[in-house]
């Protein structure tokens, strides 16, 4: 079945542009970066459509701001529709329900949650606001694709107002187990709200399985049926499709940009500054889910237990500022900086070796790619992560195929990358230290063969595959097995647990062909 050439309405918490007022009250517009933007912008341009979201900040609607966004829309080939949030809404909906409840709970960190009932009420009210914007900017036959945990209630609000639109939802973060999800005081309402979508996409089969477990336990009338990557849930004579669609990156663009003379020169410069040593790289948004303190402890343990590696290895830890108004994030920054200070204080050689290079700030795309290319080992060790695109970007940028990925088994990416990466439990600080040692001493032939395998997997299932697979599933009638439009027909639930999470793992080793060029930009998520 061909996908109808329908207009697409993308709805996400943030617009793909950040609009800010600077000191002398001029509006500044900065394009957003990241996988979602680069994946969806070409589709929006091709089909026509609208992106609905928050422009950032708490500036009220004004004709001046509308004009700024209208000008941006005119230049970008699709429309932008802002949802303005008041400062109370930013506090209770974005920082509160989204980032003090759903974010920690869905990342298995219940102890960090603050189940404030005001947050829930504001979450519903703000989702209603987004639903009004969708109703105002869409026609009956548009396909509406809502993204991420901030907006789980949008479909329910639209249905309440009588909408029969086709609604898809993709969750970019993990979906928790029933034990955790049922701690949420509003768990039943939230499951009912999700079931108002027509298609629900998760990053991994494990997330989909957790979701279905919650549906079975909390919605006794629901029937789960079908096989293959997209299953059917029957409730109230409606059929909701539920699938796993691992998000990815624009591989071709990263390979092309990583090959430029400027990136090559900057990467060589890093090696000149840090000569004769293995460079281990960590790059993360400042977030407690990323496991940065555990990683620093592991690196400390490595230097303690394996003295011969001292002065022969350095960790470059880049931390990108994020959610700075939430107290946990500020505390985390202090913890990280204390640990870096302790390791360097203990082992640094004045005028010589610095064990940990710590960078706090935003990187330019060139700097980011230079770090990726210079690093012999990437240490991607989140405590829990929906996917983790840094792991995929690192492999794509490793054009010399002479590097090693150490990856947390609790990152969604581990389902696809476990055969080429060194998988670790990020809580096992001795195990992580041992993995760093193995990576640093790994035979070049093994490094190359592992990295080739990783790059092959990433190349085959890139972000364009992800968009096509989701949209194909949205247009496949319930009951049909998806396959001919790009989603592989694999019976994931019948494979053993390790492979069950991994629709993409049966990939051969072999050289990776250089890519055809694509005109889209895609960098750090
Ligand atoms: C995660 C979420 C995204 C979010 C991003 C940055 O990747 O899945 O939805 O946009 O973090 O967080 P922020 O709170 O700055 O939007």
């Amino acid at each position: 079945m061909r996908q109808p050439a329908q207009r697409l309405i993308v709805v996400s918490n943030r617009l793909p542009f950040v609009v800010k007022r600077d000191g002398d009250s001029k509006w500044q517009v900065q394009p957003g970066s990241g996988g979602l933007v680069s994946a969806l912008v070409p589709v929006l341009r091709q089909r026509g459509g609208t992106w609905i979201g928050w422009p950032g900040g708490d500036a009220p609607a004004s004709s001046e701001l509308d004009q700024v966004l209208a000008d941006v829309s005119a230049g970008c080939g699709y429309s932008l529709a802002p949802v303005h949030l008041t400062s109370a809404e930013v506090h209770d909906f974005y920082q509160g329900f989204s980032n003090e409840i759903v974010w920690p709970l869905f990342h298995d960190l219940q102890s960090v949650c603050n189940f404030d009932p005001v947050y829930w009420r504001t979450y519903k009210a703000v989702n209603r606001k987004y639903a009004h914007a969708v109703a105002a900017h869409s026609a009956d036959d548009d396909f509406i694709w809502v993204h991420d945990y901030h907006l789980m209630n949008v479909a329910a609000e639209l249905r309440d107002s009588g909408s029969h639109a086709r609604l898809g939802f993709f969750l970019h973060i993990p979906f928790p187990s029933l034990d955790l999800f049922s701690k949420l005081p509003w768990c039943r309402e939230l499951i009912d709200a999700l079931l108002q979508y027509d298609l629900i996409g998760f990053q991994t089969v494990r997330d989909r399985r957790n979701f279905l477990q919650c549906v079975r336990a909390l919605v006794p009338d629901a029937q789960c049926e079908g096989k293959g990557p997209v299953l059917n849930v029957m409730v109230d004579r409606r059929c909701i499709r539920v699938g796993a669609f691992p998000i990815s990156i624009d591989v071709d663009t990263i390979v092309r940009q990583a090959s430029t003379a400027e990136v090559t020169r900057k990467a060589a410069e890093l090696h000149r500054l840090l000569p004769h040593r293995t460079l281990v790289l960590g790059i993360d948004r400042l977030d407690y889910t990323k496991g940065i303190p555990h990683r620093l402890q592991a690196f400390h343990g490595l230097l303690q237990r394996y003295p011969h590696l001292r002065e022969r290895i350095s960790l470059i830890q880049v931390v990108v500022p994020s959610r700075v108004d939430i107290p946990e994030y500020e505390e985390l920054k202090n913890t990280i900086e204390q640990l870096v200070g302790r390791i360097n204080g203990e082992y640094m050689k004045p005028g010589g070796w610095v064990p940990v290079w710590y960078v706090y700030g935003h990187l330019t795309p060139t700097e980011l790619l230079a770090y990726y290319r210079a690093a012999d080992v990437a240490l991607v060790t989140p405590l829990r992560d929906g996917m983790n695109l840094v792991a995929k970007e690192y492999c794509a940028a490793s054009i010399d195929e002479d590097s090693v990925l150490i990856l947390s088994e609790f990152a969604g990416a581990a389902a696809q990358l476990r055969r080429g990466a060194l998988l670790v439990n990020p809580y096992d600080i001795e195990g992580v230290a041992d993995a760093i040692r193995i990576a640093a001493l790994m035979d070049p032939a093994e490094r190359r063969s592992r990295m080739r395998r990783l790059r092959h997997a990433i190349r085959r299932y890139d972000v364009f595959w992800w968009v096509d697979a989701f949209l194909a599933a949205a247009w496949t009638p319930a009951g049909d097995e998806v396959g001919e439009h790009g989603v592989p027909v694999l019976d994931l639930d019948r494979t053993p647990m390790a492979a069950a999470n991994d629709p993409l793992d049966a990939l051969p080793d072999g050289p990776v062909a250089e890519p055809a060029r694509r005109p889209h930009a895609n960098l750090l998520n």
Side-chain angles (χ1 to χ4, degrees):
M1 191 186 75
R2 285 179 68 80
Q3 290 174 32
Q6 280 184 301
R7 266 174 27 110
L8 186 62
I9 308 294
V10 173
V11 194
S12 65
N13 177 44
R14 290 182 186 277
L15 280 177
F17 291 90
V18 180
V19 186
K20 272 196 235 151
R21 210 163 201 166
D22 68 12
D24 52 3
S25 68
K26 268 194 149 155
W27 290 101
Q28 296 274 350
V29 182
Q30 281 163 353
S33 55
L36 190 60
V37 177
S38 60
L40 293 176
V41 163
V43 188
L44 276 171
R45 284 200 179 126
Q46 189 199 349
R47 292 172 175 247
T50 300
W51 195 314
I52 296 172
W54 175 43
D58 55 8
S62 68
S63 54
E64 213 185 325
L65 179 50
D66 286 351
Q67 189 54 49
V68 171
L69 288 164
D71 292 346
V72 179
S73 297
C76 70
Y78 58 92
S79 328
L80 297 169
V83 176
H84 299 285
L85 301 182
T86 64
S87 51
E89 287 168 340
V90 172
H91 185 268
D92 294 343
F93 153 75
Y94 167 68
Q95 291 170 9
F97 196 81
S98 302
N99 287 323
E100 286 180 26
I101 298 181
V102 185
W103 180 266
L105 188 72
F106 282 33
H107 285 89
D108 300 352
L109 295 166
Q110 186 219 318
S111 59
V112 183
C113 294
N114 173 9
F115 293 115
D116 185 335
V118 172
Y119 290 173
W120 170 238
R121 284 195 277 282
T122 313
Y123 183 81
K124 289 197 291 186
V126 172
N127 272 240
R128 197 171 311 132
K129 219 168 169 175
Y130 277 83
H132 286 160
V134 172
H137 292 279
S138 61
D140 286 350
D141 55 354
D142 292 339
F143 180 69
I144 294 154
W145 190 359
V146 180
H147 290 266
D148 228 353
Y149 60 101
H150 318 83
L151 301 178
M152 291 185 280
N153 253 30
V154 167
E157 294 293 346
L158 279 166
R159 300 293 185 223
D160 276 357
S161 64
S163 168
H164 297 288
R166 277 187 89 81
L167 300 170
F169 176 77
F170 186 80
L171 184 69
H172 291 253
I173 65 172
F175 196 89
S177 66
L178 174 62
D179 279 357
L180 274 168
F181 187 72
S182 52
K183 302 277 182 334
L184 184 70
W186 312 280
C187 58
R188 173 69 203 255
E189 263 178 280
L190 202 56
I191 279 284
D192 286 342
L194 281 167
L195 291 171
Q196 294 304 318
Y197 287 98
D198 298 299
L199 170 66
I200 308 173
F202 296 98
Q203 298 276 25
T204 66
V205 171
R206 178 182 300 172
D207 298 317
R208 186 186 68 176
R209 189 181 299 130
N210 284 345
F211 174 73
L212 292 175
Q213 192 193 18
C214 293
V215 169
R216 285 190 192 102
L218 298 170
V219 189
D221 297 341
Q223 302 288 325
C224 303
E225 42 189 62
K227 60 187 179 108
V230 184
L231 304 178
N232 301 327
V233 175
M234 306 298 303
V235 195
D236 295 338
R237 279 186 272 150
R238 285 183 58 245
C239 175
I240 298 101
R241 320 259 293 142
V242 183
F245 307 91
I247 197 170
S248 192
I249 54 171
D250 179 353
V251 178
D252 295 352
T253 298
I254 293 204
V255 170
R256 195 175 71 246
Q257 295 180 343
S259 318
T260 60
E262 204 190 348
V263 170
T264 310
R265 187 182 54 75
K266 273 192 177 291
E269 201 175 289
L270 275 168
H271 271 291
R272 251 197 321 279
L273 285 169
L274 300 159
H276 313 300
R277 74 189 63 148
T278 301
L279 297 186
V280 181
L281 177 68
I283 295 194
D284 309 86
R285 218 169 32 76
L286 179 68
D287 201 292
Y288 48 79
T289 60
K290 302 293 180 186
I292 306 169
H294 301 71
R295 184 184 312 161
L296 289 166
Q297 283 162 10
F299 192 73
H300 186 213
L302 174 89
L303 300 178
Q304 276 175 332
R305 283 165 54 217
Y306 303 111
H308 62 281
L309 285 178
R310 294 179 201 162
E311 299 186 62
R312 291 173 57 202
I313 194 163
S314 283
L315 170 65
I316 302 174
Q317 177 62 57
V318 180
V319 176
V320 179
S322 174
R323 304 182 194 163
V324 284
D325 295 327
I326 301 175
E328 277 79 15
Y329 287 73
E330 187 58 30
E331 283 162 28
L332 175 67
K333 180 167 179 272
N334 293 336
T335 306
I336 292 168
E337 289 174 0
Q338 277 168 13
L339 279 165
V340 171
R342 193 177 312 154
I343 300 170
N344 285 345
E346 201 170 324
Y347 291 107
M348 193 171 83
K349 300 278 176 211
W353 176 58
V354 178
V356 184
W357 278 47
Y358 171 67
V359 181
Y360 178 75
H362 295 275
L363 299 181
T364 64
T366 305
E367 286 166 340
L368 173 69
L369 289 165
Y371 278 121
Y372 284 155
R373 276 204 60 191
D376 303 291
V377 179
L379 203 44
V380 182
T381 54
L383 305 178
R384 193 88 173 86
D385 215 332
M387 177 55 56
N388 197 296
L389 296 180
V390 167
K392 292 187 172 181
E393 287 178 349
Y394 175 69
C395 297
S398 293
I399 53 177
D400 303 316
E401 300 190 332
D402 185 21
S403 47
V404 184
L405 173 66
I406 299 178
L407 180 61
S408 163
E409 60 183 289
F410 305 125
Q416 286 170 279
L417 305 182
R418 68 195 165 80
R419 285 173 61 193
L422 295 179
L423 276 204
V424 291
N425 169 355
Y427 293 98
D428 174 9
I429 55 174
E430 290 189 345
V432 174
D434 289 340
I436 301 172
R437 180 172 167 274
I438 291 167
L441 303 178
M442 190 181 282
D443 161 69
E446 186 180 347
R447 278 207 301 269
R448 196 169 296 275
S449 129
R450 283 174 174 273
M451 189 45 73
R452 279 195 174 163
R453 186 187 281 270
L454 289 167
R455 298 187 80 235
H456 194 103
I458 288 165
R459 155 106 351 113
R460 184 155 166 200
Y461 297 99
D462 68 2
V463 73
F464 303 102
W465 172 87
W466 174 74
V467 172
D468 290 349
F470 190 90
L471 293 180
W475 290 108
T476 303
D480 279 14
E481 286 199 21
V482 187
E484 66 191 275
H485 319 296
V487 183
V489 176
L490 293 174
D491 188 354
L492 305 170
D493 282 340
R494 287 209 200 131
T495 54
M497 174 59 199
N501 235 347
D502 190 357
L504 318 173
D505 197 43
L507 293 168
D509 281 326
V512 179
E514 280 312 305
R517 294 186 168 205
R518 288 199 206 234
H520 321 300
N522 172 40
L523 285 168
L524 185 68
N525 46 308

